[in-house]
C-alpha cells in the first residue's frame, strides 16, 4: 500500500512539474520596460545651471547616431538665444533647451501612455560639468535594438562664457 501511495505522489509531482511550472514571468512574451536614469543628479545639475542664469556663451556640440552618423557644430548663445555658427540653417539649442530635451526623453519613456513592444531596456546617461553644471555628454541607448535603431549620443565641449 505504501508503495502505491508513494508512486501516486511521485506521479502527481511529475505532472505538476511538467504542466504546472510555466511562470507568469515569461519576459519574452510580456511587454516590459526598463528605463535607467539618474533623476537626482539630473535635477541637482539642472537647478544649479538655471540658478546661474548664463545668457551668453559658446560651446561645441558633437552628435552621433546610427541614422545620421557624426555631426559637429559650433554654437553661440547670446541673450539666451542659440545660433549655429557652423551651419546657420541647422537649428541649435541653448543649454537650458538641452536640459528640456533630456526631460522630454524622460517624460516620453516614463509616461503611463508609453507602451513598450516586448522587452525594452533603455538607458539615458548624462555627465555634467562640475563648475558650470551643463551636460557635457548624454546618450540614449536601446539595448537589444534592431540594426540602425540603437540610440544616439551628444557631447558638449569647449564651453566658454562670453560678454
Amino acid at each position: 500500500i505504501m508503495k502505491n501511495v508513494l508512486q501516486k505522489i511521485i506521479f502527481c509531482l511529475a505532472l505538476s512539474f511538467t504542466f504546472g511550472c510555466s511562470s507568469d514571468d515569461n519576459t519574452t512574451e510580456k511587454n516590459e520596460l526598463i528605463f535607467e536614469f539618474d533623476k537626482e543628479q539630473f535635477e541637482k545639475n539642472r537647478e544649479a545651471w538655471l540658478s546661474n542664469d548664463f545668457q551668453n556663451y559658446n560651446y561645441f556640440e558633437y552628435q552621433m547616431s546610427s541614422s545620421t552618423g557624426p555631426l559637429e557644430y559650433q554654437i553661440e548663445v547670446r541673450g539666451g538665444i542659440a545660433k549655429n555658427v557652423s551651419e546657420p540653417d541647422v537649428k541649435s539649442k541653448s543649454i537650458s533647451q538641452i536640459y528640456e530635451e533630456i526631460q522630454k526623453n524622460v517624460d516620453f519613456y516614463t509616461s503611463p501612455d508609453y507602451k513598450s513592444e516586448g522587452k525594452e531596456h533603455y538607458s539615458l546617461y548624462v555627465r555634467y560639468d562640475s563648475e558650470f553644471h551643463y551636460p557635457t555628454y548624454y546618450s540614449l541607448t536601446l539595448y537589444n535594438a534592431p540594426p540602425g535603431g540603437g540610440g544616439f549620443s551628444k557631447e558638449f565641449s569647449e564651453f566658454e562664457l562670453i560678454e
Side-chain angles (χ1 to χ4, degrees):
I1 293 179
M2 201 57 174
K3 188 176 179 184
N4 281 345
V5 171
L6 188 57
Q7 284 177 337
K8 287 180 183 178
I9 290 173
I10 291 172
F11 179 73
C12 288
L13 284 173
L15 278 177
S16 69
F17 280 120
T18 305
F19 297 106
C21 283
S22 70
S23 170
D24 285 341
D25 188 32
N26 189 348
T27 56
T28 58
E29 294 178 18
K30 272 181 141 182
N31 289 346
E32 178 183 1
L33 174 66
I34 300 169
F35 186 75
E36 299 173 359
F37 177 65
D38 190 339
K39 186 174 183 169
E40 184 178 319
Q41 280 298 313
F42 176 78
E43 294 294 337
K44 180 181 122 187
N45 281 283
R46 178 170 58 177
E47 289 304 314
W49 167 262
L50 293 173
S51 71
N52 285 319
D53 196 31
F54 297 127
Q55 296 294 309
N56 301 309
Y57 51 91
N58 291 323
Y59 69 90
F60 280 87
E61 177 178 343
Y62 176 81
Q63 299 180 20
M64 177 56 111
S65 85
S66 52
S67 60
T68 65
L71 301 170
E72 187 172 17
Y73 305 113
Q74 180 182 358
I75 309 300
E76 180 181 282
V77 178
R78 290 211 175 265
I81 308 289
K83 178 175 95 176
N84 191 323
V85 176
S86 312
E87 295 194 36
D89 293 339
V90 176
K91 190 174 180 179
S92 55
K93 295 180 178 175
S94 69
I95 299 295
S96 297
Q97 290 171 315
I98 292 166
Y99 270 112
E100 290 172 17
E101 178 181 290
I102 295 169
Q103 183 65 57
K104 284 179 185 174
N105 278 300
V106 172
D107 293 347
F108 178 77
Y109 289 107
T110 58
S111 165
D113 296 331
Y114 180 77
K115 303 292 184 227
S116 61
E117 295 184 18
K119 186 173 183 178
E120 294 182 9
H121 180 177
Y122 291 92
S123 175
L124 180 56
Y125 174 73
V126 186
R127 275 193 318 250
Y128 306 91
D129 177 79
S130 60
E131 182 180 0
F132 297 111
H133 304 282
Y134 66 92
T136 58
Y137 174 86
Y138 88 92
S139 66
L140 177 66
T141 303
L142 170 58
Y143 298 97
N144 302 323
F152 67 88
S153 66
K154 293 184 179 187
E155 189 169 343
F156 309 99
S157 63
E158 298 182 45
F159 179 85
E160 174 186 48
L161 293 173
I162 57 176
E163 304 243 348

